[in-house]
Amino acid sequence: MDSYDPIPMSQALRVEQWSAKDRDQDELARLGKKQALKRNFGFMSILGFSCTMLITWEALLILFVQGLTNGGPAGLIYGYLLVWIGTLSVFISMAELVSMAPTSSGQYHWVAMLAPPTCQKFLSYLTGWLTVAGWQAFVASTCYLCATLIQGLIILEQPEYHPKMWHGTLLFWAVAACAVFINTVISRALPALEGLILILHVLGFFAILIPLVYLSPHASSHDVFGRFLNEGGWPSQGLSFFVGLIGNMSEEVRNPSKIVPASMICSMLLNGLLGFGMLVAVLLCIGNLHDVLETSTGYPFMEIFLQGTKSSGGAAAMIAIVIVLAVEPRTCLPLVSIATTTTIAILLSLISIGSTVALNDVLSLTVAGLFLSYLACCVLLLYRRCTGGISEHAITTFSTTNNNPTMNNQMNNETQKHHHQQQQLTWGPFHIPGLLGITINLLGCIFLIIIILFSFWPPVTPVMPSTMNYSVLVTASVVAFASTYYVLWAWRVYTGPVVEVVFVVPLQRLRRA
């Protein structure tokens, strides 16, 4: 940012309209942040990013086996609607937060912003650990799923192929290398690529839906909407339904306080509609349920495609669409971050050579880590809005800069220490006021608690070492390590999200008294 002469408070009466670029810089400056990444993403590109982050209908095909086993077709239908409503409520709360503080720091910054001063540092630090662990597991799980999808496609075309564990590891590395190439060598094309993927996301849906529905024999409406299954052996159908529920489950944007919330909600609605349409179509064309669940490919949707088209080539083409959309790169990161994330993912992939069960338990942090960080944000937002801790109108504190580096360092140290305690919380452009906002926020908290709780449950009973869900142990280990490290050392050096700049109001943006 440019340096300006100090402005008397009497002259700082109101801020006039300024360019979107200046407004973005000031939004970050109020959060104590400098713009570090070039803002190439507009509404359509960030909408494409959001849709491909969710990949709802693609992920539904890949992961719906747990919901089909525990709940059956009807359980999948009603569970999907429940998850859609719950996720939308969480997205609305997250959209309110990103409208208030549009920074790529995300959850750990929002927790520091919302938490009471007495526990602010610790909760922010712990949320940061959960978020990092969750996203790292997400990267590894995406590569792993794409690798096993490719193996499943090979098995479909070459039934005599017998996959080895190390085959999947090498495919994992190939998928990771593809993502690294796109995020580094051609990273400048990412905004256009995200828009293209959005188009493919929608066209691919119809490219699969139309031949599947047209060529496949159809089940009755009762089989789709009224047939429940409890293949996990749980004591009740209701418990089986909730165990299967888990199967249904940014600083680079221009004008992020408005664009990101809008794109989040639009992507949730668009993906929800596409996902529900694909779910109904697949269940309508499911064919022989036993063959679907026992398929050698490891993915029931591949067997459904094969039964429907009666052609391995046609099924392979449809599966290829899912794989291409699933492997699409997610974001543009600095080179050091890309290298670190890729290295950790590759090291995690080595676990699969010895045990895929152990790898899946590590990758379960995708749900537990990220959803726990969302829960912390939603609970604290609910606390603030119920206690009147967020004002409707901005109250800006005007600071000054000095060209003396020593004085700037001294001022920044003091600001870094007290920035978040003194920060005035104000709603952003996107806000659901009153009782409706509280209800949506509360619904999101309840939904997250249910999903987190049942993400720790094993899929079947009786539970054996090979079917045990160790994700609760992995998640507890991350929390215990982060908490212990904080108590022993991190509390001395961690002060919350780093304050990089002191906010200054430029002279030309103010109307003198």
Side-chain angles (χ1 to χ4, degrees):
M1 289 182 61
D2 296 332
S3 179
Y4 298 89
D5 293 330
I7 299 173
M9 287 296 294
S10 62
Q11 296 180 7
L13 294 182
R14 72 184 183 88
V15 180
E16 294 181 332
Q17 292 254 327
W18 58 86
S19 70
K21 179 179 178 181
D22 291 335
R23 181 168 60 248
D24 294 349
Q25 291 175 343
D26 285 354
E27 284 175 345
L28 287 178
R30 289 189 180 95
L31 302 172
K33 293 291 183 181
K34 292 188 297 184
Q35 182 174 316
L37 300 174
K38 185 177 181 180
R39 298 193 166 192
N40 297 318
F41 287 75
F43 176 78
M44 288 304 297
S45 56
I46 198 63
L47 177 62
F49 172 84
S50 301
C51 287
T52 52
M53 273 286 296
L54 293 172
I55 55 168
T56 303
W57 69 263
E58 300 94 334
L60 183 69
L61 292 174
I62 297 170
L63 302 174
F64 87 135
V65 61
Q66 182 170 341
L68 188 61
T69 303
N70 291 291
L76 276 171
I77 292 287
Y78 305 124
Y80 181 89
L81 294 174
L82 178 61
V83 168
W84 188 11
I85 294 171
T87 304
L88 182 60
S89 66
V90 174
F91 266 52
I92 291 174
S93 296
M94 294 294 104
E96 289 183 308
L97 286 173
V98 79
S99 184
M100 292 170 60
T103 168
S104 62
S105 302
Q107 293 94 304
Y108 97 99
H109 191 117
W110 298 331
V111 167
M113 181 178 71
L114 297 170
T118 53
C119 56
Q120 185 182 69
K121 284 173 54 179
F122 174 69
L123 290 180
S124 173
Y125 184 80
L126 184 58
T127 302
W129 265 95
L130 288 170
T131 305
V132 169
W135 276 113
Q136 186 60 66
F138 175 79
V139 172
S141 63
T142 301
C143 295
Y144 178 69
L145 282 174
C146 289
T148 53
L149 280 170
I150 294 172
Q151 281 189 307
L153 180 57
I154 295 172
I155 293 172
L156 186 72
E157 285 294 310
Q158 302 292 333
E160 66 276 8
Y161 166 67
H162 298 287
K164 307 294 183 182
M165 288 185 175
W166 61 270
H167 293 175
T169 302
L170 292 180
L171 288 171
F172 183 112
W173 294 356
V175 172
C178 176
V180 169
F181 173 79
I182 295 175
N183 279 280
T184 54
V185 179
I186 59 172
S187 60
R188 291 180 180 273
L190 273 176
L193 185 61
E194 294 293 355
L196 175 63
I197 292 297
L198 174 60
I199 296 173
L200 295 178
H201 177 67
V202 176
L203 294 181
F205 169 81
F206 290 105
I208 290 177
L209 185 74
I210 293 173
L212 180 65
V213 174
Y214 181 76
L215 297 174
S216 302
H218 295 169
S220 66
S221 58
H222 177 269
D223 286 339
V224 176
F225 296 98
R227 185 183 182 187
F228 290 89
L229 294 177
N230 182 6
E231 297 297 315
W234 297 102
S236 67
Q237 184 62 60
L239 183 57
S240 176
F241 169 82
F242 279 103
V243 172
L245 198 63
I246 196 66
N248 289 308
M249 274 298 315
S250 44
E251 282 183 16
E252 298 154 270
V253 185
R254 295 188 299 269
N255 196 7
S257 60
K258 294 182 179 179
I259 287 180
V260 175
S263 67
M264 289 173 66
I265 303 303
C266 289
S267 65
M268 190 65 236
L269 294 174
L270 175 61
N271 271 309
L273 290 171
L274 295 180
F276 186 72
M278 182 60 70
L279 177 61
V280 173
V282 168
L283 294 177
L284 187 66
C285 306
I286 201 168
N288 189 306
L289 184 59
H290 180 269
D291 291 343
V292 167
L293 291 175
E294 299 298 326
T295 176
S296 60
T297 64
Y299 289 98
F301 81 93
M302 294 186 179
E303 182 66 26
I304 295 174
F305 288 179
L306 181 61
Q307 290 184 13
T309 62
K310 298 179 176 61
S311 166
S312 60
M318 295 165 67
I319 294 167
I321 295 174
V322 178
I323 296 175
V324 168
L325 291 174
V327 77
E328 187 273 325
R330 298 298 191 261
T331 183
C332 181
L333 296 171
L335 293 179
V336 174
S337 299
I338 293 175
T340 303
T341 297
T342 305
T343 301
I344 294 174
I346 288 175
L347 291 176
L348 288 175
S349 71
L350 297 176
I351 299 175
S352 65
I353 298 178
S355 172
T356 56
V357 174
L359 178 62
N360 284 323
D361 290 332
V362 174
L363 300 185
S364 65
L365 278 171
T366 301
V367 175
L370 291 177
F371 276 46
L372 282 170
S373 69
Y374 298 154
L375 180 61
C377 294
C378 288
V379 168
L380 289 171
L381 178 62
L382 182 63
Y383 160 74
R384 285 289 189 177
R385 75 195 312 160
C386 289
T387 57
I390 308 176
S391 66
E392 294 290 341
H393 304 288
I395 302 175
T396 305
T397 301
F398 298 96
S399 304
T400 63
T401 58
N402 190 295
N403 290 327
N404 186 320
T406 303
M407 183 176 295
N408 280 340
N409 288 337
Q410 292 173 349
M411 181 172 62
N412 191 62
N413 289 339
E414 185 66 20
T415 304
Q416 177 70 33
K417 183 176 180 180
H418 299 291
H419 175 74
H420 301 289
Q421 287 84 345
Q422 296 178 350
Q423 189 179 32
Q424 174 66 41
L425 296 177
T426 58
W427 291 111
F430 178 82
H431 167 47
I432 307 296
L435 183 60
L436 179 60
I438 293 175
T439 302
I440 292 174
N441 200 165
L442 180 61
L443 180 62
C445 293
I446 295 173
F447 168 74
L448 287 171
I449 291 172
I450 292 174
I451 292 296
I452 292 169
L453 174 63
F454 283 98
S455 71
F456 296 144
W457 284 56
V460 297
T461 57
V463 180
M464 298 180 291
S466 60
T467 59
M468 176 61 185
N469 186 347
Y470 295 96
S471 59
V472 63
L473 176 62
V474 176
T475 305
S477 299
V478 172
V479 173
F481 175 81
S483 302
T484 302
Y485 187 74
Y486 180 85
V487 171
L488 295 179
W489 175 253
W491 70 271
R492 298 185 180 92
V493 295
Y494 179 73
T495 58
V498 176
V499 176
E500 299 166 330
V501 297
V502 179
F503 180 54
V504 177
V505 178
L507 181 61
Q508 62 266 31
R509 299 181 192 170
L510 297 174
R511 175 173 295 172
R512 294 183 179 274

